[in-house]
Amino acid sequence: MQESHHIFIQGKWRKGEGGIRKIMNPSSGEVLTEVKEATEEQVDEAVLAARRAFETTNWAENIELRVQMLRELSDKLEESAEEFALLETRNTGKPIRESRLDVSDSITCLRYYADLVANRICWEKEMYDGTISKVVEEPIGVCGLIVPWNFPLLLGIWKLAPALAAGNTVIFKPSEVTPLSFLKLTELIEKSEMPPGVFNLVLGEGRSVGHSLVAHPEVDKISFTGGSATGRRIYQECAKNLKRVSLELGGKSPLLVFDDVDLATAVDWAMFGSFFNQGQVCVASSRILVHQSLYDDFLTHLSARAAQIVIGDPVDETTEMGPLVSEAHRKKVEEYIQIGLTDGARLLSGGQRIPDRSGYYLSPAIFTDVKQDMRIVQEEIFGPVITVQPFKEEIEAIQLANDTPFGLAAGVLSRDLERAERVAGRLRAGTVWINGYHTPHVETPWGGFKQSGIGRELGPQGLAAFTEAKHINRNLQLQPIGWYSNKGVSS
Ligand code: NAD
């Protein structure tokens, strides 16, 4: 990549002709670099390049080439894993240990989809009328992939790997706040044998560049991860020409702590579920529901543990919590803390800036004495702010857990596995972890019930989201079937 060339179209780096954006280091508030973003005309060029590649290259037909490209990309990513992890940490502020996990999960995801398409079996069967039916999965075409800032590389790969594996061509748009890891990944793609135009990268804001991509008539599918409000706008725009759309949106996920748990272990899971990546995780356990017999002890231990959390430079190996991603986002989270206080909730601990740090730091905030209809219980805050509520009966815990507009994930902590399974079955969420939290598994679907989204990523469902099913039916007789037979034109 040449300095100041940040747009990748038709296999070539181009100078962005839009505005200049400063990319920040959230742990210091300093500028890391500047990028030049795309114009709407450049989005158009990128889409047309993807269309040309889809229609004029053998990408859609050549599974071997696609498998090879995905495997090569995973190998190259592995070779420079530490460099990617450091870049991700510098740009997002997430602790380096977490960035390493993101890189290794990205490598696993690329390999998973390479293997899945390499071993794909075409369904073929003789039907009741003697004809042969074949069902094939074809690529959808040109796909726009739009991701947020909290896992810039990993969430990008969750879309890119299945989209390419299925034979689509893509235009990728990272968050305007965190473009660096995908700029670097594009350098790896540039050096590969991938046909020009199969992968294109545009940088820019959602309302300009993102919107142009979503509204473009030559884009066949939008796969979006981000906030529910943005998701709604994108859904409406896609409806105009019935564009295919997948939406991975926000959450307000509950963690249910039953009375038979080991207290220290339960507090550890709550800490991990709530404050991993500074709580900026769509599935963060932002609502902790605790059986009333444990409630007071749980709060004492949780606030003590939260006070000990190691907040610091995310590059430092011992750091447990880094800064929030931006000053604007920290302000939004602080506004929610104020809303909680104004609505009458009790701030048990945290929610403070860190005096001797210049970055966008905020200590983990724990609210108690909340009511179910309060905004801090119902709305996604997307930061290190949680509520803790007591419950008496299992049914009450399930009702509280399900009582928000979201349904992304949930956790159940209990030694009684029969109960945990029963409760998991009644939770309206796309993922339920029993005696665990957070771990995504590449083979299993990821996505939300209710307003947490439409569709699923990962697993075979993640590949299906980038394909159209086609049924081809063969009549071996070449004869008309049924009441039209032998009644045709006389010879
Ligand atoms: P956001 O919705 O503001 O932005 C996400 C992406 O969409 C960015 O690239 C942005 O530039 C783009 N965008 C914004 N407006 C657009 C528009 N009108 N048209 C096209 N693109 C547009 O979200 P964010 O603040 O970057 O990320 C946080 C949100 O993402 C949270 O709500 C979080 O829950 C959600 N999220 C969901 C998942 C999941 O798997 N369900 C994973 C991570 C994050």
Side-chain angles (χ1 to χ4, degrees):
M1 178 176 60
Q2 286 176 41
E3 193 107 349
S4 86
H5 282 48
H6 302 114
I7 310 296
F8 190 73
I9 300 176
Q10 188 69 25
K12 292 206 163 44
W13 286 105
R14 300 268 304 277
K15 204 173 193 164
E17 285 157 16
I20 296 176
R21 184 176 299 274
K22 292 181 175 24
I23 304 301
M24 310 301 288
N25 177 346
S27 74
S28 64
E30 287 163 6
V31 177
L32 275 173
T33 185
E34 286 184 348
V35 294
K36 288 207 79 183
E37 298 185 334
T39 55
E40 289 178 26
E41 290 71 29
Q42 288 183 307
V43 174
D44 184 51
E45 279 182 54
V47 172
L48 296 182
R51 170 62 60 201
R52 237 182 347 264
F54 186 70
E55 285 173 4
T56 62
T57 71
N58 66 348
W59 181 251
E61 287 81 40
N62 193 339
I63 292 189
E64 290 76 25
L65 175 65
R66 301 197 312 256
V67 169
Q68 184 198 334
M69 290 297 103
L70 289 174
R71 290 199 177 129
E72 275 179 24
L73 189 58
S74 72
D75 291 345
K76 286 185 194 154
L77 184 55
E78 195 168 41
E79 282 162 24
S80 32
E82 190 58 19
E83 217 180 317
F84 271 90
L86 207 54
L87 193 60
E88 198 75 319
T89 281
R90 291 227 167 90
N91 196 177
T92 62
K94 64 172 69 192
I96 185 72
R97 292 186 284 193
E98 297 181 16
S99 291
R100 289 193 187 116
L101 278 179
D102 291 0
V103 177
S104 85
D105 285 353
S106 300
I107 296 164
T108 306
C109 183
L110 286 163
R111 291 181 180 156
Y112 169 75
Y113 280 110
D115 291 349
L116 196 66
V117 285
N119 299 314
R120 207 154 47 143
I121 297 162
C122 177
W123 187 95
E124 193 167 281
K125 199 174 163 197
E126 184 171 344
M127 310 307 284
Y128 74 94
D129 58 0
T131 62
I132 306 286
S133 271
K134 183 164 84 165
V135 177
V136 287
E137 282 156 3
E138 295 190 354
I140 294 175
V142 174
C143 300
L145 314 180
I146 303 177
V147 297
W149 45 258
N150 61 336
F151 293 84
L153 180 70
L154 182 62
L155 294 182
I157 296 285
W158 282 10
K159 296 187 188 305
L160 184 68
L164 294 184
N168 299 281
T169 59
V170 306
I171 305 97
F172 189 92
K173 194 200 93 60
S175 162
E176 55 272 37
V177 187
T178 54
L180 299 189
S181 51
F182 246 81
L183 274 169
K184 187 146 193 64
L185 192 86
T186 306
E187 289 179 13
L188 301 185
I189 293 175
E190 182 197 10
K191 290 180 197 131
S192 75
E193 300 293 310
M194 196 178 286
V198 166
F199 174 86
N200 305 275
L201 177 84
V202 290
L203 304 191
E205 272 189 7
R207 61 185 167 188
S208 52
V209 170
H211 174 77
S212 309
L213 188 54
V214 172
H216 202 293
E218 287 293 331
V219 173
D220 301 304
K221 155 126 197 177
I222 289 291
S223 178
F224 168 80
T225 301
S228 292
T230 317
R232 255 187 290 276
R233 273 198 291 279
I234 289 178
Y235 201 26
Q236 281 171 349
E237 191 60 47
C238 289
K240 288 182 185 165
N241 62 346
L242 294 181
K243 201 167 277 176
R244 306 294 182 261
V245 62
S246 298
L247 303 172
E248 293 286 339
L249 308 177
K252 194 73 186 175
S253 301
L255 175 66
L256 286 65
V257 183
F258 283 93
D259 52 0
D260 58 351
V261 294
D262 170 65
L263 189 64
T265 310
V267 168
D268 280 350
W269 277 120
M271 291 288 296
F272 180 59
S274 306
F275 302 130
F276 183 75
N277 199 20
Q278 294 74 252
Q280 303 167 132
V281 186
C282 52
V283 293
S285 59
S286 49
R287 295 183 297 134
I288 315 285
L289 305 173
V290 185
H291 190 268
Q292 65 170 8
S293 64
L294 288 181
Y295 186 68
D296 290 340
D297 285 348
F298 185 89
L299 282 179
T300 308
H301 278 72
L302 183 69
S303 56
R305 269 290 275 116
Q308 287 162 4
I309 203 164
V310 182
I311 300 178
D313 185 341
V315 174
D316 193 326
E317 299 287 337
T318 57
T319 292
E320 292 174 331
M321 214 168 140
L324 302 196
V325 75
S326 66
E327 181 58 20
H329 188 59
R330 178 166 68 171
K331 282 202 181 115
K332 185 192 144 199
V333 174
E334 286 175 327
E335 274 166 30
Y336 266 108
I337 293 174
Q338 198 48 53
I339 289 167
L341 291 170
T342 308
D343 287 350
R346 185 161 78 96
L347 183 60
L348 183 67
S349 59
Q352 310 296 323
R353 293 187 175 200
I354 312 296
D356 53 345
R357 293 214 160 261
S358 50
Y360 317 129
Y361 289 87
L362 196 68
S363 63
I366 302 169
F367 272 106
T368 62
D369 299 357
V370 296
K371 295 201 180 75
Q372 189 65 18
D373 61 358
M374 283 181 180
R375 286 184 63 191
I376 58 167
V377 176
Q378 292 292 323
E379 296 176 18
E380 184 183 51
I381 300 173
F382 214 57
V385 181
I386 60 168
T387 58
V388 190
Q389 293 168 268
F391 69 85
K392 289 196 193 91
E393 307 292 339
E394 182 180 307
I395 184 68
E396 184 193 358
I398 294 167
Q399 280 163 355
L400 290 171
N402 286 337
D403 185 16
T404 76
F406 299 103
L408 196 52
V412 182
L413 303 181
S414 175
R415 282 205 172 99
D416 178 351
L417 290 183
E418 207 174 298
R419 165 166 65 190
E421 289 279 352
R422 183 172 65 235
V423 171
R426 299 193 62 184
L427 292 172
R428 305 276 300 150
T431 300
V432 182
W433 287 283
I434 294 175
N435 296 329
Y437 212 84
H438 268 320
T439 316
H441 299 97
V442 73
E443 300 92 341
T444 59
W446 178 277
F449 283 33
K450 301 195 277 181
Q451 293 187 31
S452 287
I454 292 177
R456 293 292 183 271
E457 293 198 313
L458 299 183
Q461 290 87 348
L463 186 69
F466 286 103
T467 63
E468 294 277 15
K470 181 185 278 179
H471 172 206
I472 301 172
N473 181 257
R474 284 202 305 276
N475 178 12
L476 303 175
Q477 314 296 325
L478 261 178
Q479 294 292 328
I481 291 174
W483 53 90
Y484 285 104
S485 54
N486 303 322
K487 289 185 191 160
V489 188
S490 54
S491 49

